[in-house]
């Protein structure tokens, strides 16, 4: 029997410690369990993370594939890499922006760093991003604007100390089960409570003391209503405001009346007052995709931070705490050169650019001048601009980006390289597929949502035709950008050493974290500028506040509600929203099995379902937006308000419906609200998702699209 190997779960961003044991013969994992010694989770582990690590349910890629005469055929690594290297070199001959790269929060810190180094320092492209922009960019932008630095101020240590837990636009009971266990335990104390703000009833709502249901897309109006009441009632921390903040006069001058903002949000004034009163106790405000994935995502996240600033809820046991989705989204922001240089160095700052160029031994003018337009803008550049080659790494944009049919059509017309573990919708379009190692097979580090770095380790050998992400990146770089890397295979430890050196003296300093230290302590939180310390609650030292802003103070904001990106109307009278399911993972490639061939389940209030009874055919119908039509199975559910329709984010058909509008400050797409209609599954309502246009007759399953 093989020995237990410590690692970190890669399902979500909680960062639980796992023990894993490789199979006695062949490849793969025999068993996985929680690690009682891990300082983050102390032995806790959700069953979903265990199952998806040990027994992922997807179609494995087991060798490189190259498209020939329209068909993906098995190939050798030498042939596949030669094709990729040749096409990238040809694209770069015309312009450094001839190549687009889309990374992922599923990569290790080392692989993300290597990919960013190659994209920015080797290719010099501005068309590089990662799917963290699809989920966390608005929260990140809000942190920078308010505090001058990315990442939440609180840590997990603050959860049991809080008396009020406000979960806004998130469902951690489903998305982050171990973290939610801590939240629920603290909220269950006699002097504590849980308030959930969500238009839809969720698993988290089941435990709530108060459930606030704003109208879809009005979160900013609701947050401003609460803040306006706090100022009107004098229930603010004037000493903290005067000592540690700036911009309060501009804020109060821009606030709407409590009554007007509450009416916009569709929430009674007494509910607004109830939420405001709860903020008098030490309060943690958690938020997720229901806030971020909006054209007002940054403004709403700023408003939630304003609530903390106004009530003095900044400090141990309180504060704003965005809930990161993918396992290493925080690490991607830390080290991948996506929106900032490693260590959160400002992208356009000349001194930081010089430092990075010198560390990589490339001319400073080879680095792109700006971080690029975000994933939606990258797709536009592929369709209309200079991009000739697109390389995706551990991401599935054909299912995961808004207006997904447009994404599909665009990627069909470019040279597409897909690096992944499983066969995805994006891989089906690829010209070259490069099979990568997965959880239990990979080595490196990851960074969880509270800024803690820990090791991931391999407990099993990988099949001979599979390679580590970091080695695939280095192999492509060996010919397209010589001298950036050693020839593969790379030692992740040496890559981390390079990364940690580049973060020294930055806001996200990890120079005091080494593999040896992680072997001894298992997990260390940044900033860690030396080998003896690690980060705790940020911006406060012995009661004195200091923020990395020009004034040294935290900044209030002034934005007010501006309406939906695509409001319902007479043609599309319903509002679509999306959310997580308990046993599904991202776009579902690890968890859905054959479910991708079944229509997604649409939750509708019984009143809405009755209103559309003529559009139902044996429980099935078609949901239509201005972009596509998708066959669904209808599930009446009183937890969804009348006039709304809920679909799971994980099904590959769902994002054919969503709108590609983005937050102008963060470039994050507005996944959460768009206008839809329910139409009969007949020739009058053809299913257009995935490029098909055919009637859904009595014998045609929506899953046949």
């Amino acid at each position: 029997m093989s020995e237990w190997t410590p690692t970190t779960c890669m399902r979500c961003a909680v960062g639980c410690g796992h023990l894993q044991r490789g199979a006695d013969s062949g490849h793969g994992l025999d068993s996985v369990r929680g690690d009682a010694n891990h300082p983050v989770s102390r032995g806790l582990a959700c069953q979903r993370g265990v199952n998806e690590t040990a027994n992922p349910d997807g179609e494995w890629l087991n060798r490189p594939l190259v498209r020939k005469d329209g068909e993906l055929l098995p190939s050798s690594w030498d042939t596949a890499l030669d094709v990729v290297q040749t096409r990238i070199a040809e694209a770069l001959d015309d312009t450094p922006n001839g190549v687009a790269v889309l990374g992922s929060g599923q990569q290790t810190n080392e692989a993300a760093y290597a990919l960013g180094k190659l994209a920015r320092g080797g290719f010099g492209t501005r068309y590089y991003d990662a799917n963290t922009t699809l989920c966390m960019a608005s929260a990140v932008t809000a942190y920078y604007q308010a505090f001058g630095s990315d990442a939440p101020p609180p840590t997990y240590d603050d959860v049991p100390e809080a008396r009020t837990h406000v979960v806004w636009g998130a469902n951690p009971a489903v998305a982050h089960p171990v973290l939610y266990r801590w939240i629920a335990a603290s909220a269950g104390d006699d002097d504590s409570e849980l308030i959930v703000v969500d238009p839809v009833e969720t698993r988290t709502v089941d435990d709530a003391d108060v459930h606030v249901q704003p109208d879809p897309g009005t979160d900013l109006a609701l947050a401003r209503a609460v803040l306006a009441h706090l100022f009107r009632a004098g229930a603010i921390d004037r000493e903290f405001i005067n000592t540690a903040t700036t911009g309060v006069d501009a804020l109060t001058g821009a606030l709407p009346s409590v009554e007007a903002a509450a009416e916009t949000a569709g929430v009674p004034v007494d509910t607004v007052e109830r939420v405001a009163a709860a903020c008098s106790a030490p309060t943690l405000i958690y938020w997720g995709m229901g806030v971020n994935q909006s054209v007002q995502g940054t403004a709403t996240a700023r408003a939630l931070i304003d609530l903390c600033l106004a009530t003095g809820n900044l400090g141990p046991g309180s504060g704003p705490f965005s809930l990161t989705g993918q396992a290493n989204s925080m690490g991607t922001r830390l080290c991948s050169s996506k929106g900032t240089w490693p260590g959160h160095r400002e992208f356009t700052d000349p001194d930081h650019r010089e430092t990075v160029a010198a560390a990589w031994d490339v001319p400073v003018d080879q680095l792109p001048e700006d971080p690029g337009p975000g994933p939606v803008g990258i797709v536009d550049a592929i369709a209309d601009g200079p991009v000739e080659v697109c390389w995706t790494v551990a991401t599935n944009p054909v299912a995961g980006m808004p207006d997904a049919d447009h994404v599909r059509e665009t990627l069909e017309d470019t040279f597409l390289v897909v690096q992944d573990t499983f066969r995805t919708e994006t891989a089906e379009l690829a010209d070259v597929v490069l099979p990568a190692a997965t959880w239990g097979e990979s080595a490196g580090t990851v960074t969880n949502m509270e800024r803690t770095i820990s090791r991931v380790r391999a407990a099993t050998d990988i099949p001979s035709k599979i390679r580590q992400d970091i080695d695939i990146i280095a192999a492509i770089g060996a010919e397209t950008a010589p001298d950036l890397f050693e020839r593969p295979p790379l030692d992740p430890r040496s890559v981390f050493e390079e990364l940690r050196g580049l973060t020294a003296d930055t806001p996200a300093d990890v120079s005091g974290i080494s593999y040896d230290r992680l072997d001894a302590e298992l997990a260390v939180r940044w900033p860690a500028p030396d080998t003896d310390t690690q980060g705790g609650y940020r911006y406060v030292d012995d009661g004195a506040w200091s923020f990395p802003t020009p004034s040294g103070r935290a900044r209030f904001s002034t934005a007010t509600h501006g309406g939906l990106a695509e409001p319902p109307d007479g043609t599309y009278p319903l509002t679509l929203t999306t959310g997580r399911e308990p046993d599904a993972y991202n776009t579902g490639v690890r968890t859905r099995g054959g479910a991708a061939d079944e229509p997604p389940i649409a939750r509708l209030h019984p009143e809405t379902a009755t209103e559309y009874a003529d559009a139902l055919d044996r429980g099935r119908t078609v949901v239509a937006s201005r972009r596509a039509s998708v066959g669904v199975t209808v599930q009446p559910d009183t937890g969804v308000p009348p006039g709304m329709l809920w679909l799971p984010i994980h099904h590959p058909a769902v994002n054919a419906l969503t709108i590609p509008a983005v937050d102008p400050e963060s470039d994050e797409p507005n996944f959460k609200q768009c206008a839809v209609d329910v139409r009969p599954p007949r020739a009058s309502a053809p299913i257009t998702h995935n490029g098909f246009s055919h009637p859904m007759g009595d014998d045609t399953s929506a899953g046949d699209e």
Side-chain angles (χ1 to χ4, degrees), residues 28-32 48-56 60 439 590:
L29 299 177
D30 173 71
S31 54
V32 178
R48 298 159 195 162
V50 169
N51 291 343
E52 291 165 28
T53 302
N55 299 298
W60 293 78
W439 313 348
R590 295 187 75 91

Side-chain angles (χ1 to χ4, degrees), residues 116-400:
K117 182 180 180 182
L118 179 56
R120 300 302 203 189
F123 303 161
T125 184
R126 68 187 295 263
Y127 296 116
Y128 164 62
D129 214 295
N131 56 17
T132 182
T133 302
L134 303 178
C135 62
M136 295 308 300
S138 294
V140 170
T141 305
Y143 285 137
Y144 273 114
Q145 292 178 355
F147 303 133
S149 180
D150 179 18
T155 74
Y156 296 157
D157 294 338
D158 298 296
V159 174
E161 302 304 317
R163 297 300 86 196
T164 300
H165 299 266
V166 180
V167 176
W168 199 306
N171 186 14
V174 164
H176 304 99
V178 170
L179 171 60
Y180 182 66
R181 181 169 174 174
W182 302 327
I183 294 172
S186 178
D189 292 343
D190 291 341
D191 59 346
S192 300
E193 62 181 338
L194 172 63
I195 297 173
V196 177
V197 181
D198 199 310
V200 175
E201 291 183 8
T202 66
R203 172 64 187 83
T204 304
V205 169
D206 292 345
D207 297 323
D209 298 286
V210 178
H211 179 204
V212 184
Q213 291 183 273
D215 290 340
T218 64
D219 300 274
L220 178 54
L222 176 59
R224 288 313 193 201
V226 175
L227 197 56
H229 174 74
L230 286 166
F231 276 94
R232 186 166 72 182
I236 57 173
D237 188 333
R238 182 61 67 179
E239 181 180 358
F240 177 82
I241 292 171
N242 292 339
T243 301
T245 74
T246 186
V248 68
D249 291 339
L251 165 69
T252 55
L255 284 175
S257 72
V258 176
E259 291 75 16
E263 182 178 5
T264 298
V267 173
V269 170
D270 59 354
T271 300
V272 170
E273 295 171 350
R274 174 73 172 80
V275 175
C279 293
S280 64
T283 301
L284 279 169
I285 300 180
Y286 316 85
W287 75 91
M289 301 309 104
V291 168
N292 294 337
Q293 291 177 335
S294 163
V295 291
Q296 299 181 120
T298 299
T300 305
R302 287 292 304 274
L304 299 183
I305 294 171
D306 289 344
L307 286 173
C308 295
L309 297 178
T311 55
N313 274 302
L314 203 70
S318 65
F321 203 156
S322 57
L323 301 179
T324 304
Q326 287 207 343
N328 201 34
S329 283
M330 180 74 76
T332 303
R333 287 139 54 189
L334 167 72
C335 64
S336 74
S337 304
K338 182 190 74 68
T340 57
W341 300 112
H344 296 168
R345 295 176 181 272
E346 206 281 317
F347 203 91
T348 60
D349 183 275
D351 292 337
H352 288 311
R353 294 171 63 81
E354 290 280 0
T355 298
V356 172
W360 291 349
D361 195 22
V362 299
V364 71
D365 60 3
Q366 187 164 310
L367 304 178
E369 294 181 355
D370 64 74
V376 172
I378 288 174
V379 171
D380 292 341
I382 296 171
D384 305 320
V387 175
E388 298 177 13
V389 175
C390 180
W391 174 19
T392 70
V393 182
T395 189
N396 186 18
V398 169

